[in-house]
Amino acid sequence: MSSSRPVLFLVAVPEDADGDADAGCVQVDPEAPHLSVMDLGVTRGDGIFETISVCDGRAQALEPHLARLAHSAHLLDLPEPDLELYRRAVLAAIEAHDDVPELSVKTVMTRGVEGTGISTGWVYAAEAADSTRARTEGIRVVTLDRGLKHDVAQTSPWLLQGAKTLSYAVNRAALREAERREADDVIFTSSDGYVLEGPTSNVILRRGDTLATPRTDQGILAGTTQASVFDFAASIGMRTEYAVIPVAELASADALWLVSSVRQAAPINTLDGVERAVDAELSARLTAYLLGRRE
Ligand code: PLP
């Protein structure tokens, strides 16, 4: 990790924006305190976020990330985020940050200080950790039962499965469970036996020349990286499909990946303690495509 300094912009609905280009989007000291202890994002995890990869100064899938922020806000009955402000803050944060090969830019919007009805927002940019090893050698993954059926989004929408909320304590606990099982990451499965997603990633299987991923109506996040991977696959003549995937199909797949912003495409080299081959060639092509270092 280099010593480059993170950059923070506060995003606030401007009270009077007449003619003020900076209204609603202000750069502040990232080391100074800015949040109230009464903010519902802190006290209840009541808010939403996005994490956007930036490679060589270019934000990856910025518009899909902003659209997903708005979708998450809708699912949580939050005020509609001012996407123009968030877009401006993301681009300003990239501009203000030192030039580094890979940045991670996080946009956060909470329900705000209790009782005010005014959301709190910010955009934080920091240099991304080096993911080279995960992208090339791969990662060890365990399957963990999420304890919910695959149709939970339809039967219990109040559980907010499929929204990118700030309530990620469960996702973090799953990663600690993976560590206890000597693994790096997790694939959540449904209680009725289907493949879902990782705590911060989507699952992709290769079967011959087809890439498959779990259908996003199963209470999982529609991934921006997964969508980019499918774009690439289609461009090189592979087939792609969104499917309901029984857990047993993981073991029989030709290759597996967890894909997400920042780490990008991480091939799975061990599943539930069983080693498996990584598709090094396709992994390298995916990484090059996702990082915008096109062939
Ligand atoms: N699923 C979950 C639960 C996530 O938190 C994330 C990203 O953090 C993803 C999937 C992958 O989404 P993306 O590729 O847009 O980063």
Side-chain angles (χ1 to χ4, degrees):
M1 208 62 169
S2 91
S3 55
S4 70
R5 197 167 137 77
V7 166
L8 176 63
F9 277 78
L10 299 183
V11 177
V13 181
E15 280 170 20
D16 178 12
D18 283 354
D20 181 358
D22 291 333
C25 171
V26 181
Q27 185 171 3
V28 295
D29 179 356
E31 281 164 26
H34 299 288
L35 268 189
S36 161
V37 294
M38 297 297 288
D39 195 292
L40 287 161
V42 178
T43 56
R44 306 276 189 200
D46 194 356
I48 54 176
F49 76 104
E50 287 293 321
T51 302
I52 302 163
S53 303
V54 177
C55 181
D56 302 331
R58 184 188 62 91
Q60 188 182 345
L62 177 56
E63 294 310 315
H65 277 290
L66 292 173
R68 196 169 63 187
L69 188 76
H71 180 63
S72 296
H74 175 70
L75 292 176
L76 269 71
D77 306 311
L78 283 165
E80 216 176 296
D82 183 335
L83 295 189
E84 175 48 34
L85 263 188
Y86 278 95
R87 184 183 297 109
R88 195 142 51 82
V90 168
L91 296 176
I94 296 169
E95 182 69 33
H97 197 282
D98 291 346
D99 283 343
V100 293
E102 291 184 47
L103 260 184
S104 160
V105 179
K106 197 165 179 174
T107 63
V108 180
M109 175 176 157
T110 82
R111 202 174 297 278
V113 174
E114 195 156 5
T116 64
I118 300 170
S119 64
T120 306
W122 67 90
V123 169
Y124 180 84
E127 185 166 12
D130 183 2
S131 297
T132 310
R133 193 161 167 202
R135 292 169 188 165
T136 52
E137 292 175 28
I139 53 173
R140 300 161 302 170
V141 170
V142 287
T143 51
L144 293 181
D145 184 350
R146 184 177 254 171
L148 303 169
K149 285 169 62 182
H150 77 290
D151 56 356
V152 64
Q154 287 77 48
T155 57
S156 312
W158 47 88
L159 292 183
L160 299 178
Q161 293 301 312
K164 198 161 165 65
T165 79
L166 291 175
S167 308
Y168 262 39
V170 167
N171 305 42
R172 307 292 288 192
L175 291 175
R176 291 194 298 277
E177 180 60 25
E179 206 178 326
R180 279 192 282 275
R181 298 182 189 204
E182 296 184 353
D184 309 302
D185 213 327
V186 169
I187 293 178
F188 283 126
T189 59
S190 68
S191 57
D192 48 354
Y194 297 101
V195 181
L196 297 176
E197 64 185 338
T200 61
S201 59
N202 290 101
V203 183
I204 293 185
L205 298 76
R206 183 174 70 75
R207 300 187 276 224
D209 70 351
T210 300
L211 293 188
T213 198
R215 242 175 39 201
T216 54
D217 60 355
Q218 299 174 93
I220 67 176
L221 213 63
T224 63
T225 315
Q226 172 272 315
S228 297
V229 166
F230 273 23
D231 286 347
F232 175 69
S235 78
I236 59 167
M238 294 184 81
R239 283 185 304 181
T240 59
E241 65 178 21
Y242 293 86
V244 176
I245 302 173
V247 175
E249 290 189 15
L250 288 174
S252 61
D254 295 319
L256 299 171
W257 291 266
L258 285 184
V259 303
S260 55
S261 302
V262 183
R263 192 174 64 185
Q264 312 293 353
I268 296 178
N269 63 27
T270 308
L271 182 69
D272 290 329
V274 179
E275 283 186 30
R276 41 180 308 123
V278 300
D279 183 338
E281 194 209 327
L282 186 52
S283 299
R285 293 180 79 184
L286 288 175
T287 299
Y289 178 83
L290 292 169
L291 295 179
R293 295 167 181 158
R294 309 275 153 101
E295 298 166 337

